[in-house]
Amino acid sequence: MKTVGHLIGRALKAYGAPYITGIPGHGNWNLIDAFNDPGSDIPVVQPMHEQAAVHIADAHYRVTGSPIAACTSIGPGAANTIMALANAHCDSTALLLITGAASTHMRGHGVMQELDRENTPDFIKVTEHVTKRNFEMITADSAPFIMHRAFNAMTSGRPGPVHVDIPLDIQAAETDIDVQDLSKRLPTGRQRADSLAIKNAIELLLGAERPCIVAGGGAIASNASLALRRVVERLGIPVVFTWNGKGALPEDHQMNAGTVGWPGSLAGNTLASEADVVMSLGCKFTDWSASSWRKDVSFSIPGSKLIQIDIDPREIGKNYPVEVGIVGDVSMVLEDIDAGISNEQARQAFEKRSAHHERLAKLWAEWDEIMKPRRMYNNIPTTMLTTLRELRKVFPRNGIVTVGSGHPQSSTKQDFPIYEPRTHITPGSYSPMGFALPAAIGAKLAKPEAPVVCIVGDGDFMMCMQELATCVAYDIPVVFLVLNNSGYISIRDGQDALMGRNIISEFSKPGDNSEPYSVKFPALAKSFGFDFATQVQRVDEIGSTIKAALDSGAPALVEVPITRDVSVAASNVVGWWDFPPVPTAPKAVLNDYTAGLAAEQHQGRDTSNVKVVKAEGAVG
């Protein structure tokens, strides 16, 4: 006989989880006690906050493609995971959250930390909106069944987080049913597409003169990089990428066209908007990836013909009408497309796109000139792009970066080259602060041999800086690159652009808004036990200081003061974002918003006669 706690430990080990992350409380004592016993023993990494526990598990999956579990107590400990679950859910990241719950015989009586006002229990109603599946374990005998169903739900089809809620008495209950063989509880192979859909997609690709591929997070999740590269090189199709598609194709590849959407790049947005055929790979076409669907900014669909490939049929045609909608694994679909094209067909298609390739090269040359002031800024405080340029010089191709939200995320997406899949770890459409630091811990635990740098702003860093203690306690050698501009400056810039003024977005000393306030981050890190923690004083020190931090083999922090000058500080705003302005906004902002709204294509509005007005830029 084994307790439910023993079964869960045995199942996690058998299903490939190298460790579990979580925080103890009275609601999960019985579970984690079992992790001490032979057969169910599994290492537990204890962060300082439950939100961080889920972010660690999230990053582990993004780096490895294999899920692990986070475990928390009942009540507040469980509730602290909601934001991180929502982030994983939006980004289709597989992880398992195990939470404690009130004993079955105590339900509904208002025991400590129980939610029971509308439902008994209530907490699973909270998580059902931010998870792929929810399971309530109400008997010991159901434990093996629920564990293999949870892993099936997490990893099959479109990945996502799963929640299992276990009452205290069930955690300690015994059963004689053992852990099931997971290989016999999962579907075999990957989902291939309908052959007619493949045929129709091939005809469109071969006939296109200005094709473009947009790589989304699904291209990374399906490990499609090799198949993508083969199709791209045979057919000569430029590739643009979204936030989570970055790394699907090496960014020094001749067919790399850069970022698309907001913030995009000149090459990416221009080629995608001018394409006669767009083929999307696991891309949801969110507002940020599609410039709020404003015609001719990032995409022009219709106008362009769309081949949309996704594992989730609900995404097909959701935001844009499709010429060919393909449900299937992105890697398998690309392999089938490649197999259906002869060498002679590929040669002819490549050769007729010479003007398209020349256009790409010209756009990159123009973009490089535009970006020089941001990349080559020699003063301190410096710019984010100058800092990222220096990081790239000393960072190996297989190095992993985790990136927070705001200007550091936009700058990294736009101007920090990534060369390998699963090395750019960043939140997508949910875009929370507080992700980057624990994600760096998860990335390093997942791939100890790879250097990991956390690129994070000061505001984002302070959302989760307590996890520096986790780095020291477990000796996790992550380098934290803190880009300090003393505030939520991406928000300030948006306020200024829309309203001509800002409020509560700069960190300033009381009574004097002109003097920025900042934590002394190196001293803070040293108080946690960091030996290497410093602020750079000159631009020519940035690269060597980061290199020394990486070489230290220990947790390290490098702070770089960043200018607040909106003209150079961060990414170059290329793209558009639908943000309704207030009536007192500048006239140019109001006029541009009116024009942008009329040109949005996602609702099916006929934009064929809409006069295209160049977007004035995005905000935020």
Side-chain angles (χ1 to χ4, degrees):
M1 300 289 284
K2 294 166 285 294
T3 69
V4 165
H6 289 126
L7 275 167
I8 288 176
R10 289 164 64 88
L12 290 173
K13 290 177 65 175
Y15 298 168
Y19 65 95
I20 187 170
T21 178
I23 292 179
H26 81 277
N28 62 350
W29 276 340
N30 289 336
L31 280 180
I32 61 177
D33 176 72
F35 301 157
N36 289 306
D37 294 335
S40 61
D41 53 315
I42 185 169
V44 181
V45 174
Q46 178 198 7
M48 299 295 117
H49 194 281
E50 291 88 356
Q51 177 182 321
V54 176
H55 284 325
I56 290 170
D58 183 335
H60 183 98
Y61 179 79
R62 294 180 195 236
V63 170
T64 66
S66 299
I68 64 170
C71 182
T72 75
S73 186
I74 184 177
N80 278 341
T81 67
I82 297 302
M83 197 281 289
L85 282 176
N87 182 60
H89 187 52
C90 285
D91 284 355
S92 305
T93 299
L95 62 89
L96 177 62
L97 174 66
I98 303 170
T99 60
S103 295
T104 55
H105 59 282
M106 301 290 282
R107 286 181 171 185
H109 292 277
V111 300
M112 184 175 71
Q113 299 182 335
E114 179 189 24
L115 289 174
D116 71 338
R117 181 119 353 139
E118 300 296 332
N119 299 278
T120 301
D122 252 349
F123 186 66
I124 57 174
K125 296 293 184 180
V126 175
T127 60
E128 71 179 12
H129 300 291
V130 290
T131 55
K132 186 178 177 183
R133 280 292 305 272
N134 260 287
F135 295 93
E136 184 185 2
M137 194 178 293
I138 56 175
T139 67
D141 287 350
S142 68
F145 170 79
I146 287 176
M147 288 302 291
H148 73 69
R149 295 312 296 158
F151 271 76
N152 181 294
M154 278 189 287
T155 58
S156 62
R158 181 176 182 166
V162 168
H163 171 222
V164 177
D165 203 47
I166 313 177
L168 276 70
D169 57 329
I170 302 302
Q171 295 174 27
E174 292 183 314
T175 180
D176 59 357
I177 304 175
D178 206 349
V179 173
Q180 301 296 294
D181 182 350
L182 188 61
S183 67
K184 296 183 178 181
R185 301 288 184 168
L186 296 177
T188 300
R190 296 183 175 189
Q191 184 174 348
R192 303 200 92 100
D194 178 81
S195 58
L196 180 60
I198 296 292
K199 178 177 178 293
N200 291 338
I202 289 173
E203 290 179 358
L204 281 176
L205 291 174
L206 292 179
E209 294 184 0
R210 302 180 309 281
C212 177
I213 292 174
V214 51
I220 302 292
S222 68
N223 298 314
S225 292
L226 291 178
L228 171 61
R229 186 163 183 165
R230 179 167 172 80
V231 169
V232 164
E233 291 176 349
R234 291 187 73 207
L235 302 181
I237 304 178
V239 178
V240 299
F241 49 83
T242 68
W243 299 90
N244 281 320
K246 193 172 169 74
L249 187 76
E251 290 189 58
D252 53 358
H253 193 282
Q254 62 180 355
M255 287 295 111
N256 166 51
T259 60
V260 70
W262 179 94
S265 63
L266 177 64
N269 276 338
T270 302
L271 261 66
S273 65
E274 293 178 349
D276 51 1
V277 172
V278 173
M279 182 165 71
S280 71
L281 311 177
C283 169
K284 297 183 292 183
F285 290 107
T286 63
D287 60 338
W288 275 16
S289 294
S291 288
S292 294
W293 311 283
R294 181 173 177 173
K295 183 180 180 180
D296 285 350
V297 178
S298 291
F299 299 101
S300 303
I301 308 170
S304 304
K305 295 179 179 179
L306 175 61
I307 304 167
Q308 186 173 7
I309 304 168
D310 205 287
I311 195 69
D312 186 351
R314 293 172 299 183
E315 292 297 337
I316 303 297
K318 183 175 76 175
N319 287 324
Y320 285 125
V322 298
E323 195 75 15
V324 181
I326 303 179
V327 177
D329 177 88
V330 170
S331 182
M332 296 293 99
V333 173
L334 288 175
E335 287 183 12
D336 288 346
I337 288 174
D338 180 54
I341 298 174
S342 70
N343 288 336
E344 179 59 22
Q345 288 174 317
R347 183 189 64 79
Q348 291 179 7
F350 192 102
E351 288 181 354
K352 75 178 180 180
R353 292 164 185 158
S354 59
H356 195 39
H357 302 156
E358 290 172 3
R359 175 96 163 120
L360 173 59
K362 182 180 178 182
L363 288 168
W364 271 126
E366 292 178 15
W367 184 242
D368 287 341
E369 286 299 314
I370 292 170
M371 297 296 279
K372 276 184 179 179
R374 299 171 189 266
R375 295 171 177 169
M376 310 298 290
Y377 193 89
N378 289 319
N379 296 327
I380 289 285
T382 189
T383 68
M384 292 190 180
L385 268 57
T386 294
T387 305
L388 295 176
R389 179 199 68 191
E390 295 302 308
L391 169 61
R392 188 70 272 180
K393 289 177 182 178
V394 299
F395 204 50
R397 291 178 74 90
N398 71 332
I400 299 170
V401 293
T402 66
V403 192
S405 61
H407 278 335
Q409 184 186 38
S410 301
S411 299
T412 303
K413 179 199 176 194
Q414 187 178 71
D415 211 54
F416 185 77
I418 295 293
Y419 303 120
E420 296 184 9
R422 300 187 184 275
T423 60
H424 174 252
I425 311 301
T426 195
S429 58
Y430 205 63
S431 192
M433 288 194 284
F435 171 84
L437 198 164
I441 294 172
K444 189 64 179 179
L445 290 172
K447 203 166 186 180
E449 70 279 10
V452 175
V453 171
C454 171
I455 303 170
V456 65
D458 56 301
D460 193 327
F461 183 81
M462 287 191 286
M463 291 278 181
C464 56
M465 62 188 180
Q466 71 277 356
E467 300 308 328
L468 295 182
T470 307
C471 281
V472 174
Y474 290 91
D475 192 23
I476 302 171
V478 170
V479 174
F480 298 98
L481 182 60
V482 181
L483 307 180
N484 186 2
N485 53 18
S486 295
Y488 305 128
I489 302 303
S490 66
I491 301 302
R492 183 209 66 175
D493 292 348
Q495 291 175 330
D496 286 344
L498 283 172
M499 302 148 190
R501 59 184 180 177
N502 63 77
I503 186 171
I504 65 167
S505 51
E506 295 181 342
F507 301 157
S508 301
K509 292 183 178 180
D512 185 0
N513 288 332
S514 65
E515 186 177 356
Y517 167 79
S518 176
V519 172
K520 298 185 186 309
F521 289 108
L524 174 74
K526 288 179 179 179
S527 74
F528 276 96
F530 279 49
D531 291 326
F532 193 110
T534 188
Q535 182 192 75
V536 298
Q537 302 297 320
R538 302 194 314 270
V539 169
D540 60 10
E541 293 178 348
I542 296 173
S544 60
T545 303
I546 295 172
K547 180 67 163 58
L550 289 165
D551 290 345
S552 71
L557 182 142
V558 177
E559 178 190 356
V560 180
I562 300 296
T563 178
R564 289 177 169 181
D565 181 352
V566 67
S567 69
V568 293
S571 60
N572 190 348
V573 177
V574 178
W576 190 69
W577 188 23
D578 181 331
F579 195 96
V582 296
T584 54
K587 186 176 181 179
V589 172
L590 294 169
N591 289 342
D592 182 63
Y593 183 72
T594 300
L597 200 62
E600 288 181 6
Q601 298 180 289
H602 64 295
Q603 293 179 327
R605 178 184 290 112
D606 181 6
T607 58
S608 58
N609 294 320
V610 171
K611 181 181 179 181
V612 176
V613 179
K614 182 176 175 59
E616 293 297 325
V619 297

